[in-house]
Amino acid sequence: MLNKVALITGSSTGLGKRTALELARLGIDVVINYRTNRDAALQFARELEREYPVRALAVQADVSDPADCRSLVGQVLEVFGRLDILVNNAGPYIPERKRMAEYELDEWNAMINGNLTSVFYLSKLVIPHMRENGWGRILNFGFDRADTAPAWMFRSAFAAAKVGLVSLTRTMALEEAEYGITVNMVCPGDIIGEWKEANIEDASSAGDHSTPVGRVGTGEDIARTIAFFCAEASGFITGTVIAVTGGKDVLTKYRYEAESSKPVW
């Protein structure tokens, strides 16, 4: 029996890399998509093939470019002959705190295209093949409480794109349910730096008083959630938006000083 095939965008590093590792561990062939980090992607693909009974392919593509998306999906189908799982992990983010009125047009377009329109490009390309097989899993990434359309100061473009993606996720879920395709969203918490590729065990001794569960979040927390949605037995779950935050409110970027009720940004 052939392995299922998963395309994880932006997976040479970070959460995408940890997700690819988890899926490979479960016996799923993986496509490592990268934009610029060629050496890391190729090395990671070789490591996965050595460690697990899977095939791993590294493919360069900018998922905000429709031509690159066509090339990416075409290469996957040429090599594997199928594409069962799409994980839309890649998405630009501007760490600088900027008010909406301060965004340049190219910055705004990059946020919308990279985080929302790219999902349209790739989903449009892969859904026909999933329909033909009568099975598919599409996973999108959001942010905490994106399904409530919250205000997120200084993150207007990113937030607008991801909130739009919530509606797109749920719409695709309804439209594709009859074909055995599920579409869900995972909303990571405040997982930063080296923790994006870390295991849960690594975090067991790393306390975090700002997170109700008492530890930092890891890439494995996200990867295990994605793996759950990808399972054969998870076919009844679609249109779901799930927060993986440890209970932490990641949108609130101000704190109250002990001596004052004035918020400090």
Side-chain angles (χ1 to χ4, degrees), residues 42-75:
L42 291 172
Q43 180 180 338
F44 181 43
R46 289 192 293 266
E47 291 173 356
L48 290 178
E49 290 189 332
R50 285 197 302 266
E51 187 71 21
Y52 304 102
V54 300
R55 290 184 294 169
L57 176 69
V59 182
Q60 191 280 333
D62 178 351
V63 297
S64 67
D65 183 325
D68 273 20
C69 288
R70 288 193 296 270
S71 175
L72 171 59
V73 173
Q75 289 182 65

Side-chain angles (χ1 to χ4, degrees), residues 14-162:
L15 296 178
K17 180 177 181 178
R18 188 60 186 76
T19 297
L21 176 63
E22 183 69 18
L23 297 184
R25 187 183 68 80
L26 296 173
I28 298 172
D29 292 341
V30 293
V31 180
I32 310 302
N33 162 245
Y34 66 96
R35 189 169 65 90
T36 59
N37 205 347
R38 179 177 182 272
D39 291 343
L42 291 172
Q43 180 180 338
F44 181 43
R46 289 192 293 266
E47 291 173 356
L48 290 178
E49 290 189 332
R50 285 197 302 266
E51 187 71 21
Y52 304 102
V54 300
R55 290 184 294 169
L57 176 69
V59 182
Q60 191 280 333
D62 178 351
V63 297
S64 67
D65 183 325
D68 273 20
C69 288
R70 288 193 296 270
S71 175
L72 171 59
V73 173
Q75 289 182 65
V76 175
L77 294 174
E78 181 180 353
V79 173
F80 295 99
R82 61 188 298 157
L83 209 174
D84 306 283
I85 298 166
L86 171 63
V87 181
N88 290 298
N89 164 72
Y93 180 81
I94 297 177
E96 180 186 357
R97 291 150 58 93
K98 302 182 71 167
R99 296 179 187 273
M100 188 276 293
E102 296 168 354
Y103 272 86
E104 300 296 335
L105 183 60
D106 60 342
E107 291 177 320
W108 181 271
N109 288 336
M111 290 293 101
I112 301 300
N113 291 339
N115 288 289
L116 176 58
T117 312
S118 62
V119 176
F120 162 73
Y121 292 152
L122 286 171
S123 299
K124 180 176 174 62
L125 290 166
V126 306
I127 282 174
H129 303 282
M130 292 179 174
R131 285 179 177 176
E132 187 176 342
N133 292 331
W135 196 95
R137 300 287 187 264
I138 299 176
L139 279 303
N140 300 323
F141 274 64
F143 65 89
D144 183 27
R145 289 186 280 121
D147 54 332
T148 68
W152 193 357
M153 286 190 69
F154 311 118
R155 299 285 182 261
S156 59
F158 181 82
K162 292 298 188 182

